[in-house]
């Protein structure tokens, strides 16, 4: 006998996480007769930041039937080829974490191996490692076009994501979800009804006395973590011993004329500053550790560092880095900030939301709630969080900055074993250790290792068989062909004006 299907799913919260979950779940379950409803409180509002993404967002939008042009026009969106890191290795240094891969038409040898040997032979004349990543070359040239499917094309190996206005994205998803049948309830949740025997959530009570019941609850209530924390008391695993940043000032500034197709992350005394170019304005923020920099100092530093006039008063956000021990507890799944927050350095929160939603759909329970489904969900989601945590910690751990206590402490902190082993393996062999459920794969780790100055000691023995002049010459040709290919593209601003200019 087929077990009874879920009758109703209630999404608690209408920020990016809530509306992404409502849209995707509704598409997955509506034909089976399950209703998806969402409750949110306009009086509480949404966190309203979260403007940069990684390339997987494209798959999410595609899966829910949201085409790219509509999305970019509605959200004042721009294209993101990666992140420029400034002053992380030390003041004056910069490098790029580009999306996609380094140009790989080098036979069986990786671009990194070529570059290391060329560097041994001709030093700086081998160019920056960035010069072999099309996304980095295009970003620095301020150019953009979509990748080419043909693997012989210089435009084949890069990928891209988006910058967008988080509030407008939530609004767009809401319109779409409501059109497709999701019912929205406005109101503040003030109480929860639990089944006395099973501890399952039966329903929530709103301030005005209405009761909303469901079989499955998706906790997208943001940092409040209304159900996962407040009702179910699921423990929080704190990452702050490695990632002590716990505040951010955020402020919009005037649009940048040239519209750089990338996020900038600049290391500062007690954290780092983001710059995210949108069509109508630029998003900025200083993410900092309040144990090292006062709120007033951080605010002043951010305002002094803007590339354009501030358009509003800075807004302070407080957070703690870490995650819930389990995300799916009984009949409640926490997704978004209610489930944890790693910190926004690599723009990973929305991709964690996406991973959570996709995983839930593939492990969707029926009314019997087989505990094996929750256990598998929790296992994978925890790995994904912890892999991202390691990747982010590495940005701080490998710094050569020693100008403040914040950076000195980061250089000497004890690392999670999973990260320490990866760093040692790369240092000694040049090999990137990949574990399962990684969001960031080999080229990303290489970009960060090399960018932060970790050059492996060993050279690939197979490279010794190649003519040294040939290696140097092939890299020189590749570098110049990428630069020429980038120069042939429209500027990012021209591309947007032509294809997806937002109104208003
Ligand atoms: C400083 C900072 C920078 C960030 N930058 C990025 C980035 O660049 N890229 C990225 O991917 N992510 C980023 N994030 C994370 C990103 O903002 C979030 O992951 C994303 O916005 C999802 O938030 P959310 O939907 O979980 O929570 P929220 O947006 O806070 O939504 C919570 C919802 O719950 C509702 N709610 C809460 N309590 C109740 C109640 N009692 N009754 C009814 N409703 C209730 C609220 O009304 C709201 O609708 C950043 C976060 C911070 C703090």
């Amino acid at each position: 006998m087929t077990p009874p299907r879920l009758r109703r799913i209630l999404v608690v919260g209408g920020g990016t996480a809530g509306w992404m979950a409502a849209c995707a779940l509704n598409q997955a379950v509506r034909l089976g007769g399950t209703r998806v409803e969402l409750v949110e409180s306009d009086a509480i509002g949404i966190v309203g930041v979260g403007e940069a993404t990684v390339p997987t967002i494209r798959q999410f939008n595609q899966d829910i039937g949201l085409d790219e042009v509509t999305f970019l026009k509605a959200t004042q969106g721009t294209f993101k080829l990666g992140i420029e890191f400034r002053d992380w290795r030390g003041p004056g240094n910069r490098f790029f974490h580009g999306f996609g891969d380094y140009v790989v038409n080098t036979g069986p040898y990786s671009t990194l191996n070529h570059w290391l040997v060329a560097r041994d032979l001709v030093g700086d004349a081998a160019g920056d490692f960035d010069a072999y990543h099309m996304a980095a070359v295009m970003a620095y040239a301020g150019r953009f076009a979509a990748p080419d499917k043909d693997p012989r094309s210089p435009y084949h190996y890069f990928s891209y994501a988006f910058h967008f206005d988080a509030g407008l994205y939530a609004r767009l998803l809401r319109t779409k979800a409501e059109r497709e049948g999701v019912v929205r309830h406005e109101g503040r949740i003030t109480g929860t009804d639990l089944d006395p025997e099973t501890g399952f959530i039966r329903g929530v009570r709103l301030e005005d006395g209405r009761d909303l019941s469901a079989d499955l609850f998706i906790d997208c209530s943001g940092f409040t973590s209304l159900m996962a924390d407040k009702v179910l008391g699921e423990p929080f695993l704190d990452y702050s011993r490695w990632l002590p940043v716990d505040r951010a000032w955020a402020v919009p500034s005037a649009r940048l004329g040239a519209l750089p197709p990338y996020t900038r992350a600049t290391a500062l005394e007690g954290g780092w500053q983001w710059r995210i170019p949108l069509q109508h304005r630029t998003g900025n923020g200083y993410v900092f550790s309040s144990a090292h920099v006062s709120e007033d100092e951080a605010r002043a530093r951010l305002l002094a560092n803007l590339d354009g006039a501030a358009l509003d008063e800075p807004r302070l956000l407080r957070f703690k880095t870490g995650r819930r021990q389990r995300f799916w507890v009984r009949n409640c799944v926490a997704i978004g900030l209610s489930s944890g927050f790693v910190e926004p350095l690599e723009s990973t929160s929305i991709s964690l939301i996406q991973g959570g939603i996709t995983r839930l759909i593939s492990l969707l329970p029926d009314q019997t709630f087989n505990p094996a489904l929750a256990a598998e969900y929790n296992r994978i989601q925890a790995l994904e969080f912890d892999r991202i945590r390691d990747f982010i910690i590495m940005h701080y751990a490998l710094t050569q900055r020693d100008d403040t206590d914040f950076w000195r402490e980061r250089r000497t902190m004890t690392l999670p074993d999973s990260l320490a082993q990866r760093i040692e393996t790369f240092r000694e062999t040049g090999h990137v250790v990949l574990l399962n459920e990684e969001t960031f794969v080999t080229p990303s780790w290489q970009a960060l290792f090399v960018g932060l100055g970790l050059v492996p000691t060993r050279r690939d023995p197979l490279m010794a068989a190649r003519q040294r002049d040939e290696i140097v010459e092939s890299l020189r040709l590749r570098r110049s062909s990428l630069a020429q290919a980038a120069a042939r593209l429209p500027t990012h601003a021209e591309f947007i004006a032509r294809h997806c200019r937002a109104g208003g």
Side-chain angles (χ1 to χ4, degrees), residues 12-20 38-54 80 163-164 166 170 185-191 205-206 219-226 247-250 263 272 274 276 285-287 317-319 335-341 343-353:
V12 172
T16 308
W19 283 112
M20 282 176 76
L38 182 146
V39 55
E40 67 174 317
S41 159
D42 280 343
I44 296 174
I46 66 172
V47 69
V49 280
E51 308 196 314
T53 50
V54 295
K80 172 180 172 184
H163 305 118
F164 57 81
H185 304 275
E186 165 61 35
R188 181 192 290 261
I189 296 173
T190 49
R205 166 148 299 185
L206 306 189
D219 181 357
C220 297
S221 61
F223 286 128
T224 320
S225 197
L226 205 59
R247 302 272 194 285
W249 282 107
T263 303
W272 60 278
W274 80 73
I276 297 177
Y286 182 3
V287 179
L317 297 127
R318 297 190 167 87
F319 56 84
I335 292 181
L337 296 173
S338 65
S339 70
F341 184 50
E343 80 126 293
L345 184 54
E346 286 281 356
S347 328
T348 43
S349 284
I350 292 171
S351 91
L352 279 163
I353 293 171

Side-chain angles (χ1 to χ4, degrees), residues 70-186:
T70 307
F71 160 74
L72 287 163
K73 284 183 174 175
T75 62
Q76 298 282 352
T78 61
F79 295 93
K80 172 180 172 184
L81 289 163
I83 304 176
E84 178 196 17
F85 287 91
R86 286 202 171 188
D87 303 336
W88 283 79
R89 193 201 297 190
N93 171 270
R94 78 168 187 178
F95 64 91
F96 201 84
H97 171 197
F99 293 140
D101 204 347
Y102 291 86
V103 177
V104 292
N105 53 345
T106 48
Y109 316 106
S110 75
T111 306
L112 178 64
N113 281 327
H114 269 77
W115 179 74
L116 288 171
V117 171
R119 230 171 128 265
D120 293 343
L121 293 170
V122 296
D124 288 346
D128 285 342
F129 190 42
D130 287 347
Y132 304 96
H133 201 307
M134 193 62 196
V137 177
M138 284 165 62
Y140 285 147
R143 309 273 164 170
F144 186 79
D148 189 331
K149 289 198 172 70
D150 181 350
R152 290 163 305 180
S153 160
Y155 309 114
H156 178 70
Y157 289 104
F158 74 93
S159 184
Y160 66 93
F162 309 109
H163 305 118
F164 57 81
D165 182 314
L168 294 177
Y169 186 46
R171 199 183 300 168
L172 177 68
L173 292 178
R174 172 179 164 184
T175 307
K176 184 171 164 45
E178 289 189 306
R179 204 175 44 230
E180 291 168 1
V182 173
V183 174
R184 173 183 181 273
H185 304 275
E186 165 61 35

Side-chain angles (χ1 to χ4, degrees), residues 85-95 265-269 301 398-404 407 411 451-452:
F85 287 91
R86 286 202 171 188
D87 303 336
W88 283 79
R89 193 201 297 190
N93 171 270
R94 78 168 187 178
F95 64 91
T266 306
L268 299 177
E269 297 77 12
R301 185 76 160 102
L398 292 179
T399 182
Q400 291 165 27
R401 290 183 71 123
D402 64 356
D403 50 322
T404 61
W407 291 104
R411 290 175 63 168
L452 290 165

Side-chain angles (χ1 to χ4, degrees), residues 413-453:
M413 64 185 160
T414 306
L415 300 180
D417 290 345
S418 48
L419 174 60
Q421 188 225 343
R422 293 188 208 225
I423 292 177
E424 266 331 289
T425 304
F426 187 80
R427 192 193 306 279
E428 286 174 16
T429 70
H431 177 72
V432 173
V433 176
L434 284 189
L435 308 171
N436 47 359
E437 311 308 336
E438 297 275 15
T439 299
F440 296 101
V441 292
T442 301
S444 294
W445 286 87
Q446 288 177 338
L448 266 296
F449 281 143
V450 172
L452 290 165

